[in-house]
Amino acid sequence: MPETTGAAPGALACLPGTLRLPARVHFGHGSRALLPEVVALHGRRVFAVVDPFLATTPHITAVLDALTGAGLDVRTYTSVTPELPVGTLDSAAVQAREYGAEVVLAIGGGSALDAAKLIALLCVHEGPPERYYGENLVPGPVVPVVAVPTTAGTGSEVTPVAVVSDPGRELKVGVSSPFLVPAAAVVDPDLTLGAPRGVTAFSGIDALVHAAESYTARPLPADWSGTPPVFTGRNALTEPVALQAAGRLGPWLPVAVREPVGRHARHEVALGALLAGIAFGSTGTHLCHALQYPIGALTKTPHGLGTGLLLPYVLDALRADADVAVRVAAFGAALEHLPAEDASALRTVMRVAELNEAIGVPATLAELGIERDQLADIAELGLRSARLLAIAPLEPSRELLLDILGRAHAGILDGTDSHRKRTVV
Ligand code: NAD
């Protein structure tokens, strides 16, 4: 094994690092007040892609009014559909081009942010969007995007990827390119206040999955002689960020779900999600995401519900490798703010399962209506996510995927036959 892989937590050895981020990231209650200034840095003709359910809420209308009050010309587009069907993008891009958009403002959850990124792409580069599916296929800069998330989860405001669902394909697909990293991110936790429990829980647990998969990803060997891959696997610059994310989300996500208007919990969860986005935006994610894409397509359930459900089972599987198990334990220590000597990989697995239970993430794939005889097809489809599996910390064989799916279907953790065993050793 090369020297850059398998290092114990903290011992970074020769692990290299890559970070690609917006030039400006502002975080904090009330930070949306900066938007007129931040948006004006990029142009005066603003194409605002806004989540349709939020467009008429007081916070968002005040944001849009402040932009026009500052002398900016704003065209608002609200035809954003959750999980982003690709067919909706071309006509939106035509509208943005005809309007002469100089900057795209994105306000909403991951669906609105990803829509904005792809509209910004299609304003400059010829469609259809399918041309850009995959990694590093965007030929150059896009219209600058200022991203303002209203969910605490996807991290899309800082990442180089936009995910769409394409009816012509069985799986969701991504466009991944450093050119899709927004020019600026303004993350104001107030915009998540009052979001319903399901939205808070599923977007928040997705953020925890981002942190966990970023921290446990296999590092790709660095080759500085050509264009680096968009996603590097675990890297030296993101490791501490992923742990910080876990430390925010672990204690505070259940509180934010329980108390939707609690400002402190919203602050912590929004910060955790942003940090997780910063981490996985450079490293990528792996097994939970590879398996969620077919599961989401089959069950039409929210993205975070699927990734969150799978997380304890994936972490449990990772315990099979001693080096990776050490990382799983370190992740759990950060999650629970534990001294390292009290942490173990198994404890991490059980803590994540408890967290899921506390916030209402279903415990098994059976609860999503998936039949046991569908698992082989899901594994087969999961194997197609080559980019994600390339940084899986264990050899991503069909057998491994089937094993994870089988246990997630039946609710078996801890490598034993006991269903959702909760004893921590
Ligand atoms: P979403 O954007 O699909 O929104 C889900 C629902 O929540 C919508 O009905 C929306 O109207 C509502 N909503 C959003 N903010 C709200 C608020 N403050 N109050 C009340 N309701 C609110 O959900 P999401 O989880 O943010 O995003 C999921 C999408 O993001 C998926 O398509 C997923 O594939 C993608 N994703 C992208 C990245 C990335 O880096 N680009 C990462 C992870 C996931």
Side-chain angles (χ1 to χ4, degrees):
M1 188 176 276
E3 196 187 353
T4 52
T5 60
L12 296 183
C14 293
L15 192 65
T18 290
L19 270 184
R20 300 186 192 91
L21 291 174
R24 286 156 200 266
V25 180
H26 298 289
F27 173 82
H29 291 293
S31 56
R32 64 190 182 282
L34 279 178
L35 279 168
E37 184 183 325
V38 171
V39 171
L41 288 171
H42 301 285
R44 306 209 73 77
R45 295 181 72 74
V46 184
F47 193 75
V49 178
V50 184
D51 182 291
F53 299 104
L54 302 177
T56 54
T57 58
H59 276 335
I60 304 303
T61 50
V63 164
L64 297 171
D65 289 348
L67 296 175
T68 47
L72 301 176
D73 191 21
V74 181
R75 172 79 57 89
T76 304
Y77 172 86
T78 58
S79 301
V80 178
T81 314
E83 308 293 324
L84 202 53
V86 70
T88 57
L89 292 170
D90 280 317
S91 70
V94 168
Q95 290 177 47
R97 250 199 324 258
E98 286 177 357
Y99 169 63
E102 295 170 340
V103 48
V104 175
L105 173 63
I107 305 179
S111 300
L113 270 47
D114 285 4
K117 288 169 159 181
L118 294 172
I119 291 167
L121 160 66
L122 295 170
C123 274
V124 177
H125 304 288
E126 206 56 45
E130 291 85 333
R131 293 174 69 175
Y132 307 109
Y133 288 172
E135 273 208 14
N136 274 331
L137 296 175
V138 177
V142 307
V143 173
V145 174
V146 175
V148 183
T150 63
T151 58
T154 70
S156 178
E157 66 276 11
V158 290
T159 70
V161 59
V163 187
V164 295
S165 42
D166 183 333
R169 300 177 182 234
E170 285 162 291
L171 299 178
K172 287 181 89 176
V173 275
V175 177
S176 303
S177 160
F179 294 117
L180 288 195
V181 175
V186 174
V187 183
D188 186 337
D190 285 347
L191 298 179
T192 65
L193 276 172
R197 284 176 183 206
V199 170
T200 305
F202 302 145
S203 53
I205 198 70
D206 192 33
L208 188 70
V209 179
H210 293 156
E213 296 204 320
S214 174
Y215 188 69
T216 56
R218 186 173 71 83
L220 294 179
D223 172 6
W224 304 115
S225 63
T227 306
V230 177
F231 297 108
T232 64
R234 171 166 71 81
N235 81 57
L237 296 172
T238 58
E239 285 199 311
V241 184
L243 294 181
Q244 283 280 331
R248 304 284 175 172
L249 293 162
W252 289 103
L253 180 56
V255 184
V257 172
R258 237 180 11 248
E259 302 164 15
V261 292
R263 278 186 106 218
H264 187 61
R266 290 296 185 177
H267 176 278
E268 294 295 310
V269 173
L271 184 53
L274 172 60
L275 293 167
I278 290 172
F280 97 87
S282 292
T283 60
T285 55
H286 53 81
L287 290 162
C288 293
H289 280 75
L291 291 172
Q292 151 57 19
Y293 285 141
I295 289 167
L298 188 67
T299 60
K300 310 282 180 258
T301 46
H303 174 76
L305 180 153
T307 56
L309 186 160
L310 290 163
L311 183 59
Y313 301 101
V314 166
L315 292 174
D316 201 15
L318 298 190
R319 295 193 306 120
D321 178 296
D323 285 338
V324 185
V326 170
R327 304 194 68 77
V328 173
F331 186 79
L335 185 75
E336 290 196 77
H337 297 256
L338 285 176
E341 59 272 21
D342 292 344
S344 76
L346 181 57
R347 180 169 175 147
T348 308
V349 170
M350 294 308 176
R351 176 65 196 127
V352 172
E354 285 164 7
L355 182 60
N356 274 349
E357 189 172 30
I359 65 173
V361 173
T364 67
L365 293 176
E367 289 170 55
L368 305 190
I370 292 177
E371 302 291 343
R372 217 180 156 78
D373 62 9
Q374 293 177 295
L375 300 184
D377 286 345
I378 294 172
E380 212 56 51
L381 288 167
L383 284 170
R384 292 193 199 165
S385 290
R387 167 178 75 75
L388 301 172
L389 297 181
I391 59 166
L394 301 183
E395 180 58 35
S397 61
R398 179 174 289 99
E399 293 65 38
L400 174 70
L401 299 194
L402 271 174
D403 178 55
I404 293 169
L405 288 167
R407 288 182 298 105
H409 190 267
I412 299 170
L413 283 172
D414 186 17
T416 74
D417 288 341
S418 54
H419 287 228
R420 284 309 274 268
K421 185 171 178 244
R422 300 221 167 266
T423 323
V424 176
V425 295

